[in-house]
Amino acid sequence: MTVDLETSPQPDATSALPDRLPFRRSSTWALPEVRWALAATALFAAGGICQLGGAPSWLWWSLYLACYAAGGWEPGLAGLKALRNRTLDVDLLMVAAAIGAAAIGQVFDGALLIVIFATSGALEAVATKRTSDSVRGLLDLTPDRATRVTDSGDEHIVEAVALAVGDIIVVRPGERISADGEVVAGAGDVDQASITGESLPVDKQPGDEVFAGTLNGTGVLRVRVTRPASETVIARIVAMVEQASATRARTQLLIEKVEQRYSLVMVIATIALFALPLLWGVAVQDSLLRAMTFMIVASPCAVVLATMPPLLAAIATAGRHGVLVKSAVVMEHLASITRVAFDKTGTLTEGRPHIAQIRPLPGTSMSRDDLLTLAASAEAGSEHPLGRAIVQAARHANLTWPTAETFESLPGRGVRAQVNGHSVEIGSPVRLPDRSGAAHAVVTELEDSGHSAVLMHLDSQPVAVLALADRIRAGAADVIARLNAMTDSPPVLLTGDNPHAANRLAGLVGIRDVRAGLLPEQKVEEVRRLENGEARVALVGDGVNDVPALASAHVGIAMGRHGSDLALDTADAVITRDDLGTIPAVIALARRARRLVVANLVVAATFIAVLVAWDLIGELPLPLGVAGHEGSTVIVGLNGLRLLRDAAWRRASAAPSTQGEGLEPSERIEVVT
């Protein structure tokens, strides 16, 4: 059996398949760490209310001890398992310190310690889950099944993973391509924004490359598979995200070594403080009191609070102003950024094509409005982004247009319609018969300037060239200027779009380092090359094609309003309102938070050193030790909370700007009406 691509009935390749069941993310509440942390926090709050309200001591003691059980059993068990493997875990040390605090009557201190550690564990579990969800969600882009064509022309539905190099598959309109390959027959436009980031679908002809997970438009394509399922671009994206996540996890090894040494020193010191005085005849209770006092004053509550309040306050303030920073570690990383890299489409631009120019050709007597009216009539029935852009431009110009008598989609070429008895055709200029004529000259000029050009025919005669461009986001040039003033190196543009469009946009916003035509793995290579040059890179992107680079960068920042779910999950921070101006502001806020952290650590370390020395050398009264310990905690906590004020964001937003200085006139934003 043979199947004619243009005229034969086209059976729905998915009709014989069960509905695809996409990966569903489980609720954060399903994580046991989150449930236990919330339970511990609620019990701690209830105990505090009862204690302050003058309730019987047995009641608030019971609530605090229940907090111990809810928040402490899991880190305690983990610590015991580590101890069995001859490793001293800081979790076990904190649980022991909390129990010691309760043993000498300071149950509030111990409960606070438990809540801090339980919350930290819950946040770590949530971050791990989101990373796993992001990687698994990437696989939903590629269809589970494909329509394979045999040598005899028969079509069979097969698993996409079973496709071998050399197989021929059929991809019908509206279907996602199930394998990387080469078009061998048919024509159409393919939306490959998920891979390259290009804002417009790309015309595909025999000999052109296509990627798994991209969306076929109006044409029917026959594709020869060139890569197995394990080596497609999407599969490599998954592998790169997993690799980047594992690399980040290894950076925690140094912290773990410090924790183990600190834990060992504290345990040895506490045991020594309890045991040695007994040899000198000191009473057991007095020796225990000194040891427990040491464990209280040496516990890292003040150090934890020295670090967390400024970072958490900065996170809260940034969140109120449109930036979701996912963790305190991310806020620390933002403070150390030395270079910012931007994706183009959907990041520095709005991600939607707009009509930038209408260029009537010589010999055309029609006005621009008349040409736009005819074009809108022809494109009114099209779902192509180009068609929507033309109709939107006519609507903004307050034009009205007649309904086309007929409409025909020409895969890989454009559309043809009958309007008021005239044939109107709009499409790709690739098949221009006269490569030396006026139409070709205008098309070449527009494409060289970074526009996408389409040709309009009226009754088979070329009458106009329409130029499309992706509109630059408001304030993009100012943001680039501010980042130039703030960071060690100027911003860089990393895009999968063509060099002409990339260089045009870069010139308008003031970026001089442009790297265009990049596939996802090439973006990762560019980020790594920048970071190998001692830069700490923040990458700003929005699409699936940006996901590996977002995961690999020192900080990944996603545009939240129209960003893909995968980009939002993988990124470390999300610009929820798509306001580019918040990027330099949040970096400035993170730097101020870092300065407060340093100041707080000095205060906390000074208090701990003085109290520990006092307890070791002299006789530190327990009430004074608790007062000093809690006093340092309150001081550093209040100092960090200063960043909760709106004035902190206003100060960060006032970072120096050099907008307009040193830019050539051609580099300023152009306004197209």
Side-chain angles (χ1 to χ4, degrees):
M1 181 187 78
T2 59
V3 179
D4 188 281
L5 289 177
E6 301 295 337
T7 60
S8 297
Q10 299 174 359
D12 184 359
T14 61
S15 60
L17 302 177
D19 291 339
R20 180 183 177 89
L21 297 176
F23 166 68
R24 295 183 180 273
R25 292 173 172 80
S26 57
S27 169
T28 300
W29 179 251
L31 295 173
E33 295 91 344
V34 172
R35 295 199 300 270
W36 287 116
L38 290 175
T41 303
L43 290 166
F44 175 75
I49 292 172
C50 291
Q51 186 178 7
L52 293 175
S57 60
W58 64 264
L59 178 58
W60 47 267
W61 261 85
S62 298
L63 290 170
Y64 283 143
L65 292 177
C67 169
Y68 273 56
W73 77 267
E74 192 168 23
L77 182 61
L80 290 174
K81 289 180 179 178
L83 189 62
R84 190 168 58 186
N85 294 327
R86 298 183 178 181
T87 301
L88 191 57
D89 197 312
V90 73
D91 290 352
L92 183 60
L93 176 64
M94 290 302 97
V95 172
I99 294 173
I104 58 173
Q106 302 300 324
V107 68
F108 174 86
D109 284 353
L112 175 61
L113 207 56
I114 290 293
V115 168
I116 290 174
F117 266 73
T119 302
S120 174
L123 291 176
E124 183 180 356
V126 170
T128 302
K129 172 183 174 296
R130 285 185 174 178
T131 300
S132 175
D133 286 351
S134 298
V135 174
R136 294 177 62 190
L138 280 167
L139 299 174
D140 281 340
L141 287 175
T142 306
D144 286 333
R145 312 288 173 84
T147 304
R148 183 168 61 190
V149 181
T150 65
D151 293 339
S152 62
D154 294 329
E155 296 181 4
H156 297 283
I157 306 299
V158 299
E159 297 287 339
V161 294
L163 292 174
V165 174
D167 284 349
I168 304 295
I169 60 174
V170 174
V171 186
R172 294 187 167 82
E175 293 181 351
R176 287 196 177 272
I177 299 172
S178 52
D180 286 5
E182 178 184 330
V183 178
V184 295
D189 51 85
V190 175
D191 181 356
Q192 52 188 38
S194 60
I195 301 297
T196 65
E198 293 169 287
S199 56
L200 285 173
V202 179
D203 292 332
K204 296 295 183 181
Q205 308 291 334
D208 291 339
E209 183 180 21
V210 292
F211 304 105
T214 56
L215 183 64
N216 187 28
T218 55
V220 179
L221 302 177
R222 286 199 178 192
V223 176
R224 178 185 294 111
V225 177
T226 57
R227 297 189 189 97
S230 61
E231 297 178 10
T232 64
V233 172
I234 286 292
R236 294 202 298 272
I237 289 176
V238 172
M240 285 185 287
V241 172
E242 290 176 335
Q243 181 181 3
S245 299
T247 301
R248 284 187 175 180
R250 287 196 294 269
T251 64
Q252 303 302 317
L253 293 176
L254 178 61
I255 296 176
E256 292 176 3
K257 290 180 181 178
V258 172
E259 287 179 350
Q260 290 176 17
R261 293 174 182 174
Y262 180 79
S263 303
L264 184 60
V265 170
M266 278 199 65
V267 168
I268 293 174
T270 302
I271 294 174
L273 279 175
F274 172 67
L276 292 179
L278 295 178
L279 301 177
W280 304 328
V282 177
V284 173
Q285 186 169 354
D286 292 341
S287 184
L288 178 62
L289 182 60
R290 178 186 287 268
M292 287 299 98
T293 302
F294 171 81
M295 184 167 283
I296 292 296
V297 298
S299 67
C301 284
V303 174
V304 171
L305 290 178
T307 303
M308 295 305 293
L311 298 174
L312 294 178
I315 290 172
T317 299
R320 292 200 309 271
H321 293 86
V323 185
L324 172 62
V325 179
K326 294 186 177 180
S327 73
V329 173
V330 174
M331 187 61 75
E332 286 182 315
H333 287 176
L334 280 168
S336 62
I337 290 301
T338 61
R339 193 165 198 183
V340 181
F342 288 92
D343 173 47
K344 172 183 170 288
T345 305
T347 302
L348 289 173
T349 69
E350 295 177 356
R352 300 186 303 275
H354 296 78
I355 299 296
Q357 297 181 40
I358 299 177
R359 299 278 292 273
L361 296 175
T364 301
S365 60
M366 301 178 68
S367 68
R368 285 177 171 81
D369 282 353
D370 291 338
L371 290 168
L372 184 56
T373 299
L374 279 177
S377 295
E379 293 283 6
S382 173
E383 288 299 318
H384 194 283
L386 164 63
R388 293 195 294 268
I390 291 174
V391 172
Q392 188 71 12
R395 188 173 291 122
H396 283 166
N398 295 319
L399 301 177
T400 57
W401 53 88
T403 302
E405 292 96 29
T406 62
F407 172 82
E408 182 183 4
S409 176
L410 307 173
R413 295 171 54 191
V415 299
R416 181 188 297 132
Q418 286 290 322
V419 182
N420 291 337
H422 295 282
S423 173
V424 180
E425 184 174 339
I426 302 173
S428 171
V430 172
R431 295 183 178 82
L432 274 172
D434 182 7
R435 308 301 293 180
S436 61
H440 181 262
V442 173
V443 167
T444 301
E445 176 192 345
L446 292 172
E447 290 182 341
D448 287 345
S449 65
H451 294 84
S452 297
V454 293
L455 189 61
M456 178 176 174
H457 287 79
L458 181 63
D459 295 328
S460 301
Q461 295 299 316
V463 293
V465 178
L466 282 65
L468 290 96
D470 198 353
R471 188 172 294 164
I472 298 171
R473 289 191 186 276
D478 178 64
V479 169
I480 299 302
R482 291 169 63 190
L483 290 171
N484 261 318
M486 293 175 62
T487 56
D488 295 343
S489 303
V492 58
L493 181 64
L494 305 179
T495 177
D497 215 338
N498 67 79
H500 288 307
N503 284 312
R504 173 181 176 273
L505 173 116
L508 294 175
V509 300
I511 295 179
R512 292 173 174 81
D513 189 347
V514 179
R515 308 176 191 192
L518 304 177
L519 289 174
E521 61 265 32
Q522 294 171 322
K523 283 190 178 183
V524 174
E525 292 171 2
E526 292 297 334
V527 168
R528 289 175 177 167
R529 188 174 293 114
L530 291 171
E531 295 193 336
N532 287 339
E534 304 303 323
R536 294 187 176 181
V537 177
L539 177 77
V540 188
D542 73 309
V544 171
N545 59 306
D546 300 317
V547 167
L550 287 171
S552 298
H554 193 61
V555 175
I557 303 174
M559 306 298 288
R561 186 165 292 175
H562 299 293
S564 70
D565 289 343
L566 300 171
L568 299 183
D569 285 344
T570 303
D572 302 301
V574 177
I575 309 298
T576 58
R577 302 168 191 168
D578 284 6
D579 180 4
L580 288 175
T582 58
I583 296 173
V586 76
I587 292 175
L589 184 68
R591 291 177 177 178
R592 188 178 177 199
R594 180 175 60 182
R595 291 194 296 270
L596 285 179
V597 167
V598 172
N600 280 352
L601 286 172
V602 171
V603 172
T606 301
F607 268 85
I608 291 175
V610 169
L611 293 173
V612 167
W614 191 346
D615 187 55
L616 293 176
I617 299 172
E619 294 285 342
L620 175 62
L622 178 60
L624 186 57
V626 171
H629 179 265
E630 296 302 326
S632 64
T633 301
V634 171
I635 290 172
V636 299
L638 292 178
N639 189 40
L641 294 179
R642 290 162 52 200
L643 293 183
L644 282 174
R645 298 178 299 172
D646 285 337
W649 183 261
R650 290 195 298 270
R651 180 176 173 182
S653 299
S657 170
T658 55
Q659 181 182 15
E661 298 178 10
L663 298 181
E664 297 297 327
S666 62
E667 294 176 322
R668 301 181 189 274
I669 293 181
E670 67 174 5
V671 179
V672 180
T673 59

